[in-house]
Amino acid sequence: MLTILKQESFLLLALIAALVAYPLEHWLLHSGQVVALTAGLVLIAFIVAASMRVAHQAELLAEKVGDPYGTMILTLAAVLVEVVILAIMMSNEASPTLVRDTIYSAVMLDINGILGLAALMGGIKHGEQSYNDDSARSYSVMILTAMGVSMVVPEFIPEANWKIYSAFTIGAMVVLYALFLRMQVGPHSYFFSYSYPDKRRKKQPTEEKPEKVNLPLSIAILVFGVVVIGALAEVMSKTLDLGLEGTGAPPVITAILVAAISAAPEILTALRAALANRMQSVVNIAMGASLSTVILTVPVMEAMALYTGQPFQMAMTPVQTVMIFITLIVSAINLNDGETNAIEGMTHFVLFATFIMLSLLGL
């Protein structure tokens, strides 16, 4: 028991932070903007710490079951954290564009940030890195379809018909994900795996003995971690909104923070995989996280909108639409030959830098 408590010290600290934050919530919200902003940033740090432990348990489960199930567990865990934070923030009357901006930011972060940095660093160390190009094509076309249906077409839907189209979007996303899931774990699972040549595997340093997995314990810690994150997000959303009020910070900053919180563990996992010359894992994590963010977050939040009777602004702005299409076109070209290199990684990373610059400019 002591060993478990020691291993999960970050999660325990996050729990203590939640237990302290709740009684102090009223004081934090009425002690000035600086106090509120500071509290919000501190709570974000604890949320990231808790999400790292959630991701660690998901990674243990992933290692136990192997690819493609493993990366599916990792991406689902990240999306679960994101959905929990978003749902809580939206229940606190956040910006109606928060869901849209968070999904957009997550896709930019996953494809251009994670994949770009991983391919750049892996390419510098290993040169060309191989993966299964079937997986990249499958992910790309699914992301394009899901984002087109849920975040481009809504621009042309009359306001009076939003409930009908919202219900259609939920059904479309569920059908898409059901088919994708069947492909990923069924007869087409080989699309999402790659057999690395022995000569490449021998170049890697001797791997450490894998950590023994206690399945029920890992699942329990994972669920507990998500609950703690939800509790922290409840206070964090209020203090952060108050702290940023009137500062002139672009509205998308909150969305980027939410996306970064959920993606933080994936970034470390993807970079480790790239440096170990396992580019297939990077592709599965980056592209799979993007797809899961769109195809799972959209129906949950659309259902929430239907329940409350208050629609969210899901249609992307012209700048966001252009950036998404450039990103997906570049990824379709780069991920079409089964090998990545540093140049391809740099193109994605420049797009990520452009996304950050546009966000800071309020575009």
Side-chain angles (χ1 to χ4, degrees), residues 8-24 43 46 224 228 231-232:
E8 302 302 330
S9 56
F10 281 172
L11 189 55
L12 289 177
L13 289 174
L15 174 61
I16 293 171
L19 294 175
V20 171
Y22 263 89
L24 294 178
L43 290 175
F46 281 111
F224 178 72
V228 171
L232 288 168

Side-chain angles (χ1 to χ4, degrees), residues 1-221:
M1 179 59 72
L2 290 177
T3 302
I4 296 173
L5 293 176
K6 185 177 180 180
Q7 290 175 341
E8 302 302 330
S9 56
F10 281 172
L11 189 55
L12 289 177
L13 289 174
L15 174 61
I16 293 171
L19 294 175
V20 171
Y22 263 89
L24 294 178
E25 180 179 335
H26 184 271
W27 179 81
L28 293 173
L29 295 175
H30 293 83
S31 297
Q33 197 169 10
V34 175
V35 172
L37 181 59
T38 303
L41 295 176
V42 170
L43 290 175
I44 286 175
F46 281 111
I47 290 174
V48 170
S51 68
M52 296 289 284
R53 297 313 302 167
V54 168
H56 176 70
Q57 297 303 326
E59 196 168 350
L60 291 179
L61 295 173
E63 290 176 0
K64 186 175 180 65
V65 300
D67 277 333
Y69 303 94
T71 48
M72 183 180 67
I73 293 173
L74 284 171
T75 55
L76 287 178
V79 171
L80 179 60
V81 170
E82 183 174 272
V83 168
V84 167
I85 295 175
L86 269 179
I88 290 173
M89 293 185 74
M90 292 307 298
S91 68
N92 291 328
E93 299 182 0
S95 166
T97 62
L98 178 62
V99 175
R100 177 199 70 188
D101 292 343
T102 300
I103 295 174
Y104 165 70
S105 299
V107 173
M108 290 289 105
L109 181 57
D110 290 330
I111 298 181
N112 291 327
I114 295 178
L115 180 60
L117 184 59
L120 176 61
M121 294 179 63
I124 291 174
K125 182 176 181 180
H126 298 287
E128 293 183 326
Q129 295 183 281
S130 300
Y131 61 91
N132 187 339
D133 56 346
D134 284 330
S135 60
R137 285 195 292 267
S138 298
Y139 282 127
S140 296
V141 72
M142 291 284 284
I143 294 170
L144 179 59
T145 301
M147 294 201 76
V149 169
S150 63
M151 300 181 69
V152 176
V153 175
E155 177 66 30
F156 308 99
I157 303 299
E159 187 176 346
N161 298 329
W162 79 268
K163 289 186 177 180
I164 297 175
Y165 192 77
S166 182
F168 166 78
T169 302
I170 293 173
M173 296 300 105
V174 170
V175 170
L176 276 174
Y177 188 68
L179 177 61
F180 177 77
L181 196 62
R182 187 177 185 278
M183 286 184 61
Q184 193 173 30
V185 302
H188 293 84
S189 60
Y190 62 89
F191 275 21
F192 308 94
S193 59
Y194 182 81
S195 298
Y196 295 95
D198 290 339
K199 62 181 180 180
R200 293 196 176 188
R201 295 183 65 87
K202 289 177 182 177
K203 292 180 182 180
Q204 300 176 22
T206 304
E207 297 182 358
E208 297 179 0
K209 186 178 180 180
E211 186 176 339
K212 188 176 180 180
V213 180
N214 185 326
L215 192 61
L217 179 62
S218 291
I219 294 174
I221 294 175

